[in-house]
Amino acid sequence: MSTPITVTQSTFKTEVVESNVPVVVDFWAPWCGPCKKLSPILDDIAAELGDQVKVAKINIDEERTLAAMFQVMSIPDVMVFVGGKKVDEFQGVRPKNEILEKLHRHLQP
């Protein structure tokens, strides 16, 4: 996948849980300054890693149930899912290389 996708409660299972590649899920909101800084970094990662990973964006204002389900307390909150299970998480803006380092641990060789 070369560009981030928008995920909703109705598409979460098929796009994240049933994904055959690791999924980076970005919980964000349009009014969040740090979210706006992180977004182009995640866009770059999606383009760079192509089909090895999926980048999904969840707007917490529109998907309050998903945000509550994953206990999102501050944004941006980024979670990595592999095989339908959360395997990593970080809050706030991180440098691209740090995010890539986290992801490479979960990519297929």
Side-chain angles (χ1 to χ4, degrees), residues 26-96:
D26 175 22
F27 288 88
W28 71 285
W31 46 263
C32 167
C35 297
K36 292 176 185 174
K37 289 181 181 171
L38 181 62
S39 187
I41 296 169
L42 294 177
D43 291 350
D44 286 350
I45 289 171
E48 185 174 317
L49 295 180
D51 292 336
Q52 296 179 76
V53 71
K54 187 185 294 186
V55 176
K57 300 179 85 45
I58 298 176
N59 182 333
I60 64 162
D61 288 341
E62 296 172 358
E63 300 296 333
R64 294 181 189 277
T65 302
L66 283 174
M69 185 185 315
F70 290 100
Q71 301 175 343
V72 174
M73 298 297 184
S74 64
I75 54 173
D77 192 339
V78 179
M79 300 178 192
V80 179
F81 288 80
V82 176
K85 298 185 182 345
K86 183 172 76 167
V87 296
D88 211 339
E89 177 177 15
F90 66 88
Q91 288 82 31
V93 179
R94 295 283 195 283
K96 180 180 173 181

Side-chain angles (χ1 to χ4, degrees), residues 1-52:
M1 180 127 313
S2 58
T3 58
I5 59 169
T6 298
V7 171
T8 64
Q9 188 172 349
S10 62
T11 62
F12 187 85
K13 183 178 180 204
T14 55
E15 294 291 355
V16 179
V17 176
E18 296 173 353
S19 177
N20 57 354
V21 296
V23 184
V24 178
V25 180
D26 175 22
F27 288 88
W28 71 285
W31 46 263
C32 167
C35 297
K36 292 176 185 174
K37 289 181 181 171
L38 181 62
S39 187
I41 296 169
L42 294 177
D43 291 350
D44 286 350
I45 289 171
E48 185 174 317
L49 295 180
D51 292 336
Q52 296 179 76

